[in-house]
Amino acid sequence: MGRAVFVLTAALVCVAGCPSPRGAAPVDRREALERVNANLGCIREPVHCTGWVTFRFRDDQGRMRSFDLNEARLLYRPPQSLLLDVRSSLAGTVAQFGSNDDEYWLWIDVPDFRKLWRGSWQKIGARGERALPILPNELFDALMLRPLPESLEGGQLPLLRVDGEDHRLIFVRLSPGGQPLGWREVRLQPQPPYQPVEIIDRMSDGEVVMHAQLSGYAGIGREGPLTARRYVVHWPRHDAEMRLDLLGAKSRPDLPEDVFDSPAGWQGEWEDIDAAPQGSAIP
């Protein structure tokens, strides 16, 4: 249902043009969802962003790994092709999160740590992608590169809660038996352009799984869709943090088709998130 609503909204946007950020604040959950998703639906061509990134996480040995203030390159092609490169001025790309329509991956290549994680979208959630320092679904959500859904697990419709200047959508996750599994809060700007500025995912006991802050919305090109320019994201379970500051964003319809191909010829440790035990050879 949520995907159908997004597709219909995006189709209307393509006919009518991108929505104006002006006007009154949304009055109900449906209007809030449609404003956010209509803006995202305006991204019809690949996007190329550059900036700076700081990325930290604790590996499976308990050691903190840090990439402080590195150059960043972000490429995105709807609906879920993404490359986020962490670049060193001396060594080139030292870490990359990537995905295409079929699979996602994360690799890190520094002198004392070389590892590739890889999994398929078809099996996401069925195995152990929690082993990843950054979960692919949560990264897309944190970067606001996927539409807000009509509901999360269990089909409970979200609530738009307005408390003065605090406007937020509350999504509750339910088990098949109707028990709460957790909830997500999406805080919206109370003034134009009414886009998300904070996303908090919690477990049923209130434990924070992901906390993302977004700011500095600007258009892609002169009048293109709006995207945030600053992201601060925390994944407390992995002591993981990403700070991404984008200096510019532009459409790139000329990107080669193979730019989002999964990595080949990896030499080093790797983990198949779907099934294979750690250390197996890439087929």
Side-chain angles (χ1 to χ4, degrees), residues 113-185:
F113 189 71
R114 302 185 71 231
K115 184 168 182 176
L116 165 69
W117 296 262
R118 192 174 72 180
S120 64
W121 288 112
Q122 185 178 10
K123 295 184 179 180
I124 194 165
R127 293 277 181 177
E129 75 273 6
R130 285 277 168 194
L132 281 165
I134 293 179
L135 275 68
N137 275 330
E138 291 180 1
L139 181 59
F140 270 88
D141 291 339
L143 296 175
M144 274 309 304
L145 293 178
R146 68 168 63 205
L148 293 179
E150 278 285 293
S151 65
L152 299 182
E153 295 96 317
Q156 183 75 35
L157 294 175
L159 168 72
L160 177 63
R161 190 184 73 191
V162 178
D163 183 7
E165 292 292 290
D166 191 298
H167 296 209
R168 67 182 66 202
L169 287 160
I170 310 294
F171 297 81
V172 178
R173 293 184 173 89
L174 299 176
S175 71
Q179 296 299 312
L181 297 173
W183 72 95
R184 171 180 294 182
E185 304 170 32

Side-chain angles (χ1 to χ4, degrees), residues 4 37 39 53 59 77 129 163 175 229 249:
N37 291 345
N39 175 69
V53 63
D59 66 21
R77 182 178 65 198
E129 75 273 6
D163 183 7
S175 71
R229 293 298 189 267

